[in-house]
Amino acid sequence: MNKIIYILLAITFSFTTFSQETTGQDQRLEWFKDAKLGIFIHWGIYSVNGIDESWSFYNNLISYEDYMKQLNGFTASNYDPAFWANLIKESGAKYAVITTKHHDGVALWNSKFSDLNVVKKTPAGRDLIKPFVSNLRKNNLKVGLYYSLLDWSNPDYPNFKINTKRYDIDSDSIRWNRFVKFNFNQIEEIVDNFKPDLMWFDGDWEQTAEKWHAKEIREMLLNKNKDIIINSRLRGYGDYATPEQGLPIHKPKSKYWELCMTMNDSWGYQGNDKNYKTPYQIIRIFADVISLGGNLLLDIGPKQDGTIPEEQVNILQELGKWMNKNKQAIFSTKAGIPRDYFSGPSTLSKDGKTLYLFINGKPNGPIMLKGIINKINRIWVVGRGTKLKHEIKMKAWWSKIPGLVFIDIPDNVLDKYMTVIGISLDGEIQLFDNNKK
Ligand code: JFZ
């Protein structure tokens, strides 16, 4: 008898701890889930020559010495963090993530733990993170800090360049532990100085979770700020997933995810890279991302003087106009319906009673929706309010199979990029499944 009570208690206890942990994560990630769009910023000395961030010396496209000469050309002379933050706000994004230190080890803040920082080693001569963070806060935007766990410049870090190692970790644990301590110091330093809402780690692939002390990093961060969010690249100790092969085809299994993406083909500023996605293409990708329940972290790469290339400014502004017009269908929504029901991206209001359809291009006839069991109350063009008519075809009175819904979208209501329509239903959406009895 005692044994049974004990088992029951144990089960109840483990269940409560588990559900508390789950609620905790859901609460911490609530703003993230609703944010939908973030802006990623890769800014560093690589913008001087306009070459690959860190990878250019790692892959021997330039010598390490020549790579580091870029320190002398990094001025930040036209850096306007208020303009940056306003532009990010204007784009419709709810958060930003900035590189505080990339794999090259050059810190953008005044680090006590390494002189390899822009304050001591570049003409910029000042902390570049602090003013940006305070301008994000002024605009009510969440603050994300990118930090590379690996540091190819640090003399205690084992890897230097492709096929060139300084030493082997297992042969010199004292040296490695010195690096681990250094990493903890710098991470603590940026968390104490800038109080980020989100830590975006990178470069975790070079060592195991044990070697990085990933679990302890996570604990340290959560001890300092119980609400902090950690991205996936902490060897399994993060809060959300980063899809590896670009835009997912199917809805990812993880509840929280974020796709990071460049506007052209470079993370940092590379003047020769003109392969920009158009505003339409970016909006089209964004619609897919939110339709599948994720966030888009869209990257910009400012020049060495702090100006943002005009192509990038233009994309953010065009995106912003569209986001603002269609915000009803974007923020505080959840993933939409499977493509079997509508052949395009969609989202649902949180209560599931409103369906938003993102219309591809200019339809050459009424669009079709199928398998919706609910009755439709009304249909309108989001951001415009125009009511739209619909027709129901193929509805047999004796069958429970829902009819086909045809919605005509006149040319004069079409958006320059992507038209969104709202469909209010008589209750929470119910989808018909012909394979289910
Ligand atoms: C990393 C960096 O190496 C790169 O320079 C840039 O900062 C980018 C944002 O992050 O590159 C990666 C690492 C992992 C993946 C993609 C790019 N991944 O898992 O898909």
Side-chain angles (χ1 to χ4, degrees), residues 1 80 87 144 173 198 220 244 258 288 326 407 423 425:
M1 185 62 185
D80 185 349
L87 181 64
S173 58
L198 167 68
M220 185 260 279
E244 294 240 350
E258 172 190 74
D288 250 38
N326 294 295
I407 307 163
I423 303 179
L425 306 168

Side-chain angles (χ1 to χ4, degrees), residues 341 368-376 391-406 429-434:
Y341 297 85
M368 188 179 91
L369 184 64
K370 63 184 177 182
I372 310 292
I373 296 169
N374 310 68
K375 201 177 124 317
I376 289 173
E391 281 186 321
I392 298 192
K393 294 284 165 80
M394 241 186 124
K395 176 71 196 119
W397 64 269
W398 45 266
S399 163
K400 58 180 177 12
I401 302 175
L404 305 176
V405 182
F406 286 98
I429 194 162
Q430 280 179 280
L431 300 175
F432 181 76
D433 183 346
N434 52 289

Side-chain angles (χ1 to χ4, degrees), residues 122-170:
T122 74
R126 62 199 193 278
D127 178 336
L128 301 174
I129 302 296
K130 196 180 215 82
F132 180 56
V133 168
S134 62
N135 276 289
L136 288 177
R137 298 259 177 243
K138 260 185 227 159
N139 282 284
N140 214 3
L141 294 162
K142 297 281 185 190
V143 174
L145 300 180
Y146 169 110
Y147 179 84
S148 171
L149 291 165
L150 68 82
D151 183 334
W152 291 326
S153 282
N154 190 298
D156 290 325
Y157 190 73
N159 302 359
F160 176 42
K161 292 202 276 185
I162 190 162
N163 304 326
T164 316
K165 272 198 173 198
R166 296 191 175 91
Y167 71 105
D168 198 51
I169 293 188
D170 294 318

Side-chain angles (χ1 to χ4, degrees), residues 35-40 88 93-97 295-299:
K36 311 296 179 190
L37 181 67
I39 302 300
F40 208 176
I88 292 168
K94 301 290 189 208
Y95 64 110
V97 179
N295 286 0
L296 178 67
L297 184 62
L298 181 64
D299 184 71

